[in-house]
Amino acid sequence: MPKYLFTGRYKKFVLYFFYMLVVSLYFEMLVSLFSFVILAQTNTEMVDLEGISIFTLGITLYLIVFVTSFIRLFIQFQKKEKLIASLKSDKKREEQQSLLIRVDRKNHVIPLNELFYIESLNDYVKVITKDGKFITREKITHLSNKLPNSFLRIHRSFLVNSEKVTSFTTTEVSMLNIILPISRTYKKQAIETLESLQQKS
């Protein structure tokens, strides 16, 4: 169905569906025949052979197959829809050029190329830019989800613009003459990302 019906190739779908129907009916008759032969050689008093209908067995089988196939196709469709939505969201994040934050009941648009790092404190978040800092009540996780992959989480309290990092070790990064720690939780991903950016440059 995904290969022919969902792609608009209806003639091949009908043809192959007819072939499948004929072949499956043939095999179903063989299975039923062998089943009756086996039952005939055993105690048939427990089985009412006269009440068994090939037609009923066939309809039941096709209903089970159809329902199962429909459920599987629906699940696959849902997964593809979620994947497409996720890819669109990632693409939108990567293409954005600014970050919108709310400070003192006002919306501020910060160009990403001017954003250095974000620090999470107790009840607020500090956004450090080229021209200064902004204090917002937004959560660092929420801001991280809004930013492209070039913004790297290196610590529970720090989110840095990897393009602004001037140097780094396995335990810290440097920018703006400031040293920020890399925690164990984010160490592996942070180092791999920074090393890959260094190789590209």
Side-chain angles (χ1 to χ4, degrees), residues 4-107:
Y4 296 105
L5 182 61
F6 294 164
T7 56
R9 302 162 71 181
Y10 302 116
K11 291 182 179 179
K12 284 193 174 182
F13 174 77
V14 173
L15 180 62
Y16 291 147
F17 180 79
F18 177 73
Y19 289 162
M20 182 196 69
L21 188 64
V22 172
V23 173
S24 60
L25 281 173
Y26 174 74
F27 280 112
E28 185 181 343
M29 291 176 64
L30 287 179
V31 171
S32 301
L33 179 61
F34 283 120
S35 299
F36 290 148
V37 170
I38 293 173
L39 288 173
Q41 295 176 356
T42 59
N43 184 9
T44 58
E45 294 179 359
M46 302 296 295
V47 182
D48 184 12
L49 296 177
E50 295 180 358
I52 298 177
S53 170
I54 297 295
F55 178 78
T56 304
L57 288 175
I59 294 297
T60 303
L61 175 64
Y62 283 116
L63 282 175
I64 293 173
V65 171
F66 176 78
V67 172
T68 305
S69 301
F70 178 80
I71 293 173
R72 291 183 62 185
L73 286 173
F74 181 76
I75 293 173
Q76 290 179 2
F77 178 77
Q78 289 290 92
K79 288 181 178 179
K80 287 183 179 180
E81 285 293 307
K82 290 181 180 179
L83 178 60
I84 291 172
S86 176
L87 291 174
K88 287 182 179 180
S89 176
D90 290 343
K91 183 180 179 182
K92 185 177 180 181
R93 285 173 53 193
E94 293 301 319
E95 291 177 347
Q96 72 181 35
Q97 301 296 321
S98 61
L99 174 67
L100 179 67
I101 61 172
R102 190 167 182 81
V103 180
D104 296 330
R105 300 181 182 179
K106 294 181 181 179
N107 293 323

Side-chain angles (χ1 to χ4, degrees), residues 32-197:
S32 301
L33 179 61
F34 283 120
S35 299
F36 290 148
V37 170
I38 293 173
L39 288 173
Q41 295 176 356
T42 59
N43 184 9
T44 58
E45 294 179 359
M46 302 296 295
V47 182
D48 184 12
L49 296 177
E50 295 180 358
I52 298 177
S53 170
I54 297 295
F55 178 78
T56 304
L57 288 175
I59 294 297
T60 303
L61 175 64
Y62 283 116
L63 282 175
I64 293 173
V65 171
F66 176 78
V67 172
T68 305
S69 301
F70 178 80
I71 293 173
R72 291 183 62 185
L73 286 173
F74 181 76
I75 293 173
Q76 290 179 2
F77 178 77
Q78 289 290 92
K79 288 181 178 179
K80 287 183 179 180
E81 285 293 307
K82 290 181 180 179
L83 178 60
I84 291 172
S86 176
L87 291 174
K88 287 182 179 180
S89 176
D90 290 343
K91 183 180 179 182
K92 185 177 180 181
R93 285 173 53 193
E94 293 301 319
E95 291 177 347
Q96 72 181 35
Q97 301 296 321
S98 61
L99 174 67
L100 179 67
I101 61 172
R102 190 167 182 81
V103 180
D104 296 330
R105 300 181 182 179
K106 294 181 181 179
N107 293 323
H108 291 262
V109 178
I110 301 175
L112 295 186
N113 60 355
E114 296 181 5
L115 200 164
F116 282 87
Y117 69 91
I118 297 172
E119 181 180 2
S120 175
L121 301 173
N122 291 333
D123 299 322
Y124 60 91
V125 167
K126 186 165 57 175
V127 180
I128 308 299
T129 69
K130 181 181 67 174
D131 299 323
K133 63 182 179 180
F134 296 87
I135 305 298
T136 178
R137 294 285 182 178
E138 297 188 53
K139 301 294 183 181
I140 191 171
T141 302
H142 177 66
L143 294 177
S144 176
N145 292 334
K146 292 165 62 176
L147 291 167
N149 292 330
S150 57
F151 285 81
L152 188 62
R153 193 77 177 266
I154 62 169
H155 191 277
R156 183 174 59 87
S157 302
F158 292 103
L159 176 67
V160 302
N161 185 348
S162 59
E163 296 177 356
K164 301 296 184 181
V165 173
T166 54
S167 64
F168 66 92
T169 66
T170 57
T171 58
E172 60 190 25
V173 299
S174 298
M175 59 168 60
L176 292 176
N177 297 321
I178 297 174
I179 297 176
L180 302 176
I182 299 177
S183 68
R184 292 182 180 180
T185 304
Y186 301 96
K187 179 178 179 180
K188 182 179 179 181
Q189 183 180 359
I191 297 301
E192 288 178 354
T193 302
L194 291 171
E195 287 179 346
S196 64
L197 289 173

